[in-house]
């Protein structure tokens, strides 16, 4: 039985950078560092999986913790 996983949500680097509020070179650096994967379609078209970017998000601790 195979594990079910969410389908890839591929988007261009400029669109992903705008949606996540980072510079496109940050996305490219994360690909180079192996933090996320880049997917190439042909010689120039490069896409990233938005699910992988979502996985990089971490919640910030708040004053008062979980009690509020």
């Amino acid at each position: 039985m195979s594990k079910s996983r969410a389908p890839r949500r591929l988007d261009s680097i400029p669109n992903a950078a705008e949606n996540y509020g980072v510079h496109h070179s940050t996305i490219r650096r994360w690909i180079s560092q192996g933090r996320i994967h880049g997917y190439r379609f042909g010689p120039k078209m490069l896409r990233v999986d938005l699910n992988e970017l979502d996985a990089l998000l971490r919640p910030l601790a708040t004053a008062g913790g979980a009690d509020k």
Side-chain angles (χ1 to χ4, degrees):
M1 187 179 254
S2 66
K3 288 184 179 181
S4 80
R5 50 180 235 183
R8 289 188 181 121
R9 297 172 24 227
L10 299 178
D11 203 353
S12 69
I13 290 175
N15 286 344
E18 185 176 335
N19 289 336
Y20 286 87
V22 298
H23 197 269
H24 63 87
S25 61
T26 300
I27 302 279
R28 290 181 181 280
R29 185 173 58 250
W30 289 344
I31 293 169
S32 295
Q33 293 171 343
R35 294 178 72 182
I36 61 174
H37 293 95
Y39 299 92
R40 185 171 299 280
F41 295 99
K44 293 185 179 183
M45 191 184 309
L46 189 63
R47 297 288 187 251
V48 292
D49 187 347
L50 300 179
N51 293 327
E52 290 185 34
L53 291 172
D54 287 345
L56 294 178
L57 297 173
R58 299 287 181 250
L60 292 175
T62 58
D67 295 337
K68 290 190 175 188

